[in-house]
Amino acid sequence: MTDASASLATSYRTHTCGALRATDVGGDVRLAGWVHRRRDHGQLIFLDLRDRHGITQVVIDAADAPDAHAVASAARSEYVVMVGGTVAARLPGTENAKLPTGAIEVQATAFTILNEAKTPPFYINDPDAPVDESLRLKFRYLDIRRDPMQQRLLLRSRLVQSIREVHHANGFVEVETPNLIKSTPEGARDFIVPSRLQPGSVYALPQSPQQLKQLLMVAGVDRYFQIARCFRDEDLRGDRQPEFTQLDLEMSFVDEAAVMDFVEAMTIEVTKAVVPDRPIQAVPFPRFTYDEAIERYGSDKPDLRFGLELVDLAPDLRNADGAPSSGFRVFDEAIAAGNRVKAIAVPGLADAPRSRIDELTETARRFGAKGLAYLAVEPEGTIKSPILKFLGEDLAERLAARAGANPGDLVLIVADTTDVANDVLGRLRADLGVRLGLADPNVLAYCWVHRFPMYKWDEEGARWDATHNPFSGVVPEDEVLLTTVSGDPTRPSRDDPAGRARAMQYDIALNGWELGGGSVRIWRRDLLEQSFALQGYSEGRMRNMFGAILDAFEYGAPPHGGIALGIDRWAALLAYQTNIREVMAFPKTQSGNDPMLDAPSEPDPTQYAELGLKFVGLPGKPS
């Protein structure tokens, strides 16, 4: 028995259901678990006994153990039982190579039913049986018994364990930060918790430990990390839940390269430890500026497992004087207006029927395009397109060549503003990559995107908003841009130099998902106040929301930076999942409900009374 097996032994079991091997033949053992399958042949009863560690076949022979046989006759699927007996080699030809325990069986001499079980609402022992997700979530404790869910939760456990090991080995200190904090702007609504001891006041559940981890750097902790629980009251989708887990880390005396280099090395080490059989596409990870990623892939989280790069067709659409000269009005007007004509070459779709082209066009319109032009490159190299009569064969062939199209490919073209053209083609690229199976599902394609815009203009609020979070530092040479045309930060405009400033912000992406994001922070009070002012914060509001960190920066804040990586997303991608609910033990539904615990639910009236609260309904909605 190994040390690990010995530590799992209890009064109910000497071994787990996955521990026994041929070397254990002849030994007396005791097992406990759930009845996975039962086959009754009269005098012989065969049971597959299951626990989290594996499955062992148990044989109960009425001739050798009549009392045990009598009890086992009453056992059914998912009964919890304890078995005592002797390990025996299976008869030749009956071994099960699919099971680690497949060379042996336990011949039972004692059998105890520890607990009976109702018939489950779905099959536990058939991992491929289709089960409605709402039923799985309502009976999640049964769903977790199924092998696919168990394996995903075990993978998640290995992921977190490996993360902790790498950080401890690199001088990080694990610090737990509080979950009852002050509301701060993080890009989503806060969950608030009314205070009984301070009536009329509320705590907020953290959307991230942003200010707290920066305060730890001021405190001299130097390197901090935490497996942090975070909460955001936002609409849900496949990669979001109202409560989620992230790897949160912060480092002192670092620049962008130092943080990115550590995170990349950590990511590689953790990936190899958790999924050693899955190849990482490129090491070191490709690094793109934000502008480069948008220009080439139409996304700041590009999936690099396939090509389909966006191509600018403008060089072939102008004459020698630089004037638009394609002959196709849509292209010419776009070029004349300073807009873009960009394309992607989709492999193997040249023979797509008109219905497929119409579907792609409608998808492009749904994404925001006015329309979608196309060039189909026939197997012999000729071009087929409704706009061929405007372009002419020579220009059409040059455009197809510039797009990188081969015979049999379909070139999709969008003419619009830079933002729309990139966004629409980027989304089409991602959609087609999945639908056409262009990405190798086994490959892990990590990449970095950095140098994001510092701010984005809020038309409605007439102010600059931070692209990521308000604490991100500015690229040193762009610090002079943190000003307004008016010279007064309280009177910003769309034309301000601040709109050209770049942040020391970096995101790490994996297979088309944003895995995490971080930055080197602003660590000077004067610069942080200047940035807040550009974002529309008055001195009073700054003081109210960020007083602690502003004060702390006056006591010697070191240069510092960090990142947060989504544990749920990372685990999902490593487990071949596209929905993070599949790697969470007890997730919420798309509407934020927990059907198992029936949450959220109405509070007890006394709870409202203790808090001095009364639900009066929402404006415009029935109470």
Side-chain angles (χ1 to χ4, degrees):
M1 184 182 297
T2 65
D3 291 341
S5 298
S7 70
L8 295 170
T10 70
S11 60
Y12 289 96
R13 67 188 185 194
T14 59
H15 297 73
T16 68
C17 293
L20 298 173
R21 302 292 187 269
T23 53
D24 296 303
V25 168
D28 292 330
V29 298
R30 189 167 56 255
L31 304 178
W34 287 263
V35 176
H36 189 64
R37 285 189 179 85
R38 178 181 181 277
R39 303 176 297 282
D40 192 335
H41 297 288
Q43 181 169 318
L44 290 177
I45 297 176
F46 293 87
L47 298 179
D48 289 341
L49 193 61
R50 182 196 74 240
D51 64 12
R52 191 253 289 178
H53 306 277
I55 293 174
T56 297
Q57 178 172 281
V58 176
V59 183
I60 308 99
D61 190 335
D64 297 333
D67 292 341
H69 187 275
V71 178
S73 296
R76 295 294 182 269
S77 291
E78 298 309 307
Y79 275 33
V80 183
V81 303
M82 180 173 65
V83 176
T86 303
V87 181
R90 292 202 195 190
L91 294 174
T94 66
E95 300 91 341
N96 187 345
K98 295 181 180 179
L99 293 177
T101 61
I104 60 91
E105 62 190 18
V106 172
Q107 295 177 348
T109 56
F111 196 98
T112 303
I113 294 176
L114 300 174
N115 214 335
E116 298 180 356
K118 293 168 62 176
T119 300
F122 47 80
Y123 290 109
I124 307 296
N125 57 17
D126 185 355
D128 298 321
V131 184
D132 185 78
E133 188 183 33
S134 62
L135 196 61
R136 291 176 57 205
L137 293 178
K138 182 174 179 60
F139 296 93
R140 191 62 157 186
Y141 46 86
L142 297 180
D143 189 40
I144 292 174
R145 288 186 192 177
R146 302 166 77 216
D147 188 64
M149 270 304 305
Q150 289 228 336
Q151 293 306 315
R152 290 196 287 269
L153 291 182
L154 290 172
L155 180 147
R156 182 186 177 117
S157 177
R158 295 196 304 273
L159 173 63
V160 172
Q161 178 185 356
S162 182
I163 287 171
R164 282 196 161 102
E165 290 172 350
V166 174
H167 281 79
H168 284 303
N170 282 275
F172 284 78
V173 179
E174 185 169 7
V175 181
E176 296 176 349
T177 54
N179 279 338
L180 294 175
I181 63 171
K182 186 179 181 68
S183 179
T184 58
E186 295 281 355
R189 296 182 189 88
D190 286 320
F191 282 103
I192 61 173
V193 181
S195 170
R196 179 182 61 82
L197 299 177
Q198 301 180 50
S201 299
V202 299
Y203 299 103
L205 299 181
Q207 296 186 38
S208 81
Q210 181 64 49
Q211 291 190 64
L212 295 166
K213 67 178 178 180
Q214 291 190 244
L215 291 170
L216 287 171
M217 297 302 100
V218 179
V221 171
D222 192 68
R223 289 190 168 194
Y224 140 94
F225 88 100
Q226 178 182 189
I227 307 300
R229 297 289 289 168
C230 302
F231 308 84
R232 294 186 179 181
D233 186 6
E234 59 186 351
D235 295 335
L236 307 185
R237 58 187 191 220
D239 62 348
R240 289 186 181 174
Q241 281 276 299
E243 53 183 317
F244 56 96
T245 307
Q246 68 183 33
L247 161 61
D248 198 60
L249 68 93
E250 199 79 6
M251 306 165 69
S252 291
F253 303 107
V254 291
D255 56 14
E256 289 175 277
V259 179
M260 293 167 72
D261 288 348
F262 167 73
V263 172
E264 181 168 325
M266 178 274 297
T267 300
I268 292 169
E269 187 171 347
V270 167
T271 300
K272 290 181 177 179
V274 178
V275 286
D277 295 332
R278 294 192 65 179
I280 297 175
Q281 179 165 294
V283 175
F285 300 164
R287 298 188 180 190
F288 307 98
T289 65
Y290 171 82
D291 289 341
E292 183 183 8
I294 296 297
E295 191 68 17
R296 291 176 60 181
Y297 301 102
S299 171
D300 59 3
K301 48 182 185 298
D303 190 339
L304 301 185
R305 292 175 297 172
F306 56 93
L308 288 190
E309 288 195 31
L310 281 58
V311 178
D312 186 359
L313 300 182
D316 287 310
L317 299 176
R318 301 179 186 273
N319 60 23
D321 296 326
S325 60
S326 73
F328 182 43
R329 182 175 57 84
V330 173
F331 290 176
D332 290 342
E333 289 180 353
I335 296 293
N339 291 330
R340 308 292 294 279
V341 180
K342 299 190 71 173
I344 56 174
V346 186
L349 277 191
D351 60 351
R354 182 56 187 264
S355 60
R356 184 72 181 274
I357 299 294
D358 290 344
E359 178 193 350
L360 289 169
T361 302
E362 182 55 37
T363 300
R365 288 198 175 104
R366 193 171 69 250
F367 290 161
K370 300 180 182 68
L372 186 69
Y374 70 90
L375 304 172
V377 185
E378 306 268 66
E380 62 276 10
T382 57
I383 305 295
K384 181 177 68 175
S385 171
I387 64 174
L388 187 62
K389 58 187 175 183
F390 304 107
L391 301 177
E393 291 185 5
D394 178 64
L395 177 57
E397 289 175 1
R398 283 190 283 122
L399 293 178
R402 180 170 291 275
N406 295 309
D409 292 351
L410 181 68
V411 180
L412 302 178
I413 307 171
V414 171
D416 216 305
T417 63
T418 296
D419 289 346
V420 171
N422 285 333
D423 182 61
V424 170
L425 286 174
R427 294 168 73 178
L428 278 174
R429 174 185 181 274
D431 184 60
L432 289 166
V434 172
R435 289 204 284 170
L436 299 179
L438 302 180
D440 184 339
N442 197 45
V443 168
L444 298 169
Y446 293 98
C447 71
W448 287 102
V449 178
H450 65 128
R451 296 295 167 99
F452 284 78
M454 184 82 171
Y455 307 110
K456 56 186 175 183
W457 180 251
D458 179 353
E459 198 72 52
E460 184 176 338
R463 66 170 188 267
W464 292 105
D465 284 342
T467 303
H468 281 74
N469 75 51
F471 304 99
S472 294
V474 63
V475 172
E477 58 264 35
D478 290 357
E479 186 176 328
V480 295
L481 298 175
L482 298 193
T483 185
T484 60
V485 171
S486 68
D488 181 353
T490 65
R491 293 168 52 207
S493 73
R494 177 185 283 279
D495 298 325
D496 290 340
R500 303 195 304 274
R502 297 164 297 164
M504 290 189 286
Q505 169 78 38
Y506 35 78
D507 280 6
I508 185 169
L510 172 58
N511 292 1
W513 286 33
E514 179 191 335
L515 187 59
S519 67
V520 170
R521 321 299 180 185
I522 297 175
W523 47 279
R524 290 171 18 217
R525 176 168 182 155
D526 64 319
L527 189 57
L528 188 56
E529 288 180 327
Q530 184 179 348
S531 182
F532 282 154
L534 286 167
Q535 296 170 64
Y537 290 94
S538 65
E539 287 189 16
R541 189 164 175 239
M542 282 185 218
R543 181 77 221 168
N544 180 53
M545 301 192 74
F546 310 112
I549 198 166
L550 289 170
D551 288 347
F553 279 9
E554 294 191 319
Y555 291 90
H560 58 280
I563 197 169
L565 277 69
I567 298 291
D568 310 294
R569 293 183 183 184
W570 202 358
L573 290 166
L574 296 183
Y576 298 97
Q577 300 302 305
T578 57
N579 193 312
I580 63 173
R581 290 194 293 271
E582 295 299 332
V583 293
M584 302 175 77
F586 301 107
K588 304 294 187 290
T589 65
Q590 199 77 11
S591 58
N593 294 322
D594 181 339
M596 182 182 67
L597 297 178
D598 191 25
S601 58
E602 292 184 11
D604 187 281
T606 59
Q607 292 176 304
Y608 267 150
E610 289 174 342
L611 295 168
L613 299 177
K614 180 182 179 181
F615 181 64
V616 296
L618 296 173
K621 294 185 178 181
S623 58

